[in-house]
Amino acid sequence: MTTDPPESTETRFSISNNSSHLYQAHFSYILEYKNGTKADGFFDLELLKKSLNILVRKYYKPVSGWFQVRNDDIDVVFYSDKFNDPPVSSQILDMDYETLSRHVHNSNIELLVPAAPSAAITLEDNDFPMILVKATYLKSNEAVVLGISYHHSLMDGTAFWTFMANWSALCKHLHEHGDITEFDIPHPPTFEFPDVCHFHNPSKAFEHPEYILVDPDQYLEKLHPGPEKIVETILEFSVEQQQTLRQQAREVGVSFTEMLSAMLWKGINCLRLQLDPEIGSGLSFYTCILNSRTRTGVSNNVCASPVTNTPCKRTVAELAALDVHDIAQLVHEAIGKCTSEYLSSSFRYLRKQFRQELDDMCNDRVGKKAMCAFSCSAPVKCVVASSRTFPIYSTDFGFGTPEYVHPPYLPYDGYVRIWPTPMYDARSSNAPLHVYVSQPEHVDLTLSPLLAQFIKCGIN
């Protein structure tokens, strides 16, 4: 007697009910693990593949799904009987640990990160993986590097590091016990970003300068880096320097991140004006990339990318004339506008605009496209994203925690990533804090009187 196979089921959820659909790009991280004892079986490749397959098929089914444009939505669609599993590639290099580590610190994504296809979501089939993994081994067995790329419309940084915590815990359990019969995932994910329309206040009308509308050809142009080479400079803030910043923040009633942002914006702005006095009347543009979850009561376990940004603008000359405390107040006021009511209005604005864009696309019309305002060109930009509270250095696959994790390398002028060091705890600031600043090659941050004291090193 034969039994019919179970009927295929389809599940889908929208990524266009918040801001997730704006981030059609792959982001990548590089994690470096040292094998101090040169133990055999260190990051066994089959174990990595097996644990990742179990994770996505059992707990993260949308990660083995596809994006699909339907009616006035972009959905993630996945099925019970077919899977778009994350590909895992590998390589073995004949080099010593110190050389490999330099490649990690220099963000050699060509060597260490899997090449990702176009992340653009179109009307055609979007048959590309949501996550790609590349494991790099050494012949000497001294270390393993994991390069991971993920589609930013499916996950923001919060969702990605939750995913990594779950994957590493599952892999560690498999490594130690051989099966997952007694395993409980530490952070069960949910999908479909909740409707936040109940925050909508019809008596309030908001403008949304965090977005700009551009022609389609300008849209593509702004997504590509310019011709000038962008380099990263790492600033290091010691425990004592962080304590000083915290004290200054308390004195003027702002947060630590707001005070740190003000110092970075001021330092970058004054240096750029020093290098080119002609830009004084031009725009100096700050934005903080924010996780909207806490402001809307949405769990960090929701797998989505509902990040927003809070712009603040002055002329270059105006900002140069302000002291850091005044600038911290400007940053504080800009971030303070991002209330639950504002976010609801922001998502409604995007939703309406996106429906128009899809209608234009389906009817072969040329119309405006929305994108984040920080993508626009400006004489000075300071685009800040903070990852200092993420559990980055707790990612233990069963072989210990990483020696070093490199944040996404973004080849765009003015991008700033606030990044923890291995022993850093955001609650106590008990270890140095790193800040990665992307600037054109001719902008030497060692010439900044404000920022030079913090410079650790520069990398290409």
Side-chain angles (χ1 to χ4, degrees):
M1 178 179 177
T2 61
T3 58
D4 294 330
E7 186 176 344
S8 175
T9 60
E10 175 189 287
T11 307
R12 60 177 62 237
F13 68 89
S14 171
I15 67 164
S16 47
N17 64 344
N18 56 89
S19 58
S20 293
H21 67 278
L22 281 181
Y23 305 104
Q24 297 182 29
H26 285 100
F27 268 36
S28 60
Y29 293 90
I30 307 174
L31 296 81
E32 174 190 316
Y33 291 86
K34 187 175 183 180
N35 186 5
T37 62
K38 298 186 180 180
D40 292 335
F42 190 72
F43 275 87
D44 177 76
L45 183 62
E46 293 308 311
L47 177 66
L48 284 177
K49 291 179 178 179
K50 181 179 179 180
S51 59
L52 182 58
N53 254 18
I54 293 173
L55 182 73
V56 300
R57 291 196 178 193
K58 186 171 183 178
Y59 302 103
Y60 278 90
K61 292 179 181 178
V63 175
S64 62
W66 292 263
F67 290 118
Q68 188 177 96
V69 179
R70 188 177 71 155
N71 299 327
D72 57 0
D73 265 324
I74 294 180
D75 291 341
V76 175
V77 57
F78 54 97
Y79 304 91
S80 60
D81 61 342
K82 61 179 179 178
F83 307 95
N84 183 20
D85 289 328
V88 180
S89 59
S90 65
Q91 62 181 345
I92 302 174
L93 301 180
D94 188 8
M95 63 177 62
D96 59 31
Y97 171 66
E98 289 72 23
T99 302
L100 177 65
S101 188
R102 280 197 298 274
H103 283 296
V104 175
H105 283 72
N106 290 343
S107 192
N108 190 339
I109 56 177
E110 290 79 11
L111 178 67
L112 300 173
V113 173
S118 168
I121 302 171
T122 66
L123 286 171
E124 293 74 37
D125 289 337
N126 295 287
D127 195 14
F128 51 75
M130 303 289 190
I131 289 180
L132 304 92
V133 179
K134 185 175 185 178
T136 297
Y137 299 85
L138 293 179
K139 282 187 176 181
S140 62
N141 201 22
E142 293 178 274
V144 168
V145 168
L146 297 182
I148 303 170
S149 290
Y150 68 97
H151 198 290
H152 200 3
S153 284
L154 184 65
M155 297 181 183
D156 58 6
T158 299
F160 174 78
W161 287 107
T162 301
F163 176 89
M164 291 297 292
N166 286 327
W167 180 21
S168 60
L170 192 155
C171 184
K172 184 176 183 178
H173 188 91
L174 268 181
H175 175 63
E176 294 174 349
H177 302 282
D179 61 51
I180 61 165
T181 53
E182 301 296 325
F183 177 75
D184 291 319
I185 197 167
H187 309 286
T190 58
F191 304 92
E192 185 81 66
F193 192 80
D195 188 351
V196 295
C197 286
H198 58 283
F199 292 116
H200 177 60
N201 186 344
S203 68
K204 290 186 178 180
F206 296 99
E207 294 183 353
H208 290 287
E210 66 267 32
Y211 307 117
I212 55 173
L213 299 179
V214 299
D215 293 329
D217 56 341
Q218 290 180 300
Y219 178 84
L220 294 174
E221 178 185 318
K222 291 178 186 297
L223 290 179
H224 290 287
E228 188 166 10
K229 182 179 181 181
I230 300 295
V231 298
E232 285 180 330
T233 301
I234 303 175
L235 311 183
E236 181 172 283
F237 291 80
S238 68
V239 173
E240 294 75 17
Q241 289 166 334
Q242 291 174 66
Q243 290 171 345
T244 299
L245 277 175
R246 288 186 184 281
Q247 180 59 37
Q248 293 174 351
R250 284 192 292 268
E251 289 172 359
V252 294
V254 302
S255 72
F256 170 77
T257 299
E258 289 164 348
M259 181 58 72
L260 177 57
S261 293
M263 175 181 287
L264 295 166
W265 188 17
K266 169 83 171 178
I268 292 169
N269 183 87
C270 290
L271 177 59
R272 298 297 282 264
L273 181 60
Q274 174 187 326
L275 295 174
D276 184 3
E278 299 296 320
I279 66 171
S281 60
L283 180 66
S284 186
F285 185 96
Y286 166 85
T287 191
C288 181
I289 299 175
L290 289 176
N291 179 351
S292 65
R293 298 163 189 267
T294 55
R295 290 166 172 79
T296 52
V298 175
S299 167
N300 284 342
N301 290 347
V302 174
C303 193
S305 190
V307 292
T308 190
N309 62 92
T310 57
C312 185
K313 306 173 185 178
R314 290 293 185 274
T315 69
V316 177
E318 286 172 343
L319 196 83
L322 297 176
D323 66 26
V324 171
H325 289 182
D326 291 333
I327 298 173
Q329 287 292 346
L330 293 178
V331 171
H332 177 72
E333 290 167 9
I335 293 175
K337 292 178 182 177
C338 195
T339 63
S340 55
E341 289 179 345
Y342 186 91
L343 285 166
S344 176
S345 173
S346 176
F347 292 165
R348 288 167 65 90
Y349 169 87
L350 282 177
R351 180 73 172 151
K352 180 179 179 181
Q353 173 60 29
F354 182 65
R355 284 174 172 164
Q356 182 61 56
E357 291 176 19
L358 278 181
D359 190 59
D360 290 339
M361 188 189 306
C362 292
N363 291 284
D364 293 324
R365 291 194 301 263
V366 176
K368 299 286 187 180
K369 291 179 68 67
M371 65 190 310
C372 293
F374 61 72
S375 302
C376 69
S377 58
V380 177
K381 287 203 299 184
C382 182
V383 182
V384 176
S386 177
S387 303
R388 65 188 187 88
T389 61
F390 293 162
I392 293 166
Y393 284 98
S394 301
T395 312
D396 182 359
F397 286 82
F399 308 96
T401 54
E403 289 284 309
Y404 175 71
V405 180
H406 197 289
Y409 168 63
L410 300 172
Y412 301 97
D413 182 9
Y415 278 68
V416 176
R417 279 91 57 215
I418 302 174
W419 196 251
T421 53
M423 299 303 294
Y424 183 81
D425 184 334
R427 292 166 297 182
S428 59
S429 298
N430 61 333
L433 181 67
H434 283 172
V435 176
Y436 290 72
V437 182
S438 293
Q439 295 280 291
E441 193 170 24
H442 76 274
V443 179
D444 183 358
L445 291 185
T446 62
L447 300 177
S448 166
L450 191 58
L451 302 180
Q453 60 182 311
F454 305 109
I455 291 178
K456 182 174 185 286
C457 61
I459 57 179
N460 295 334

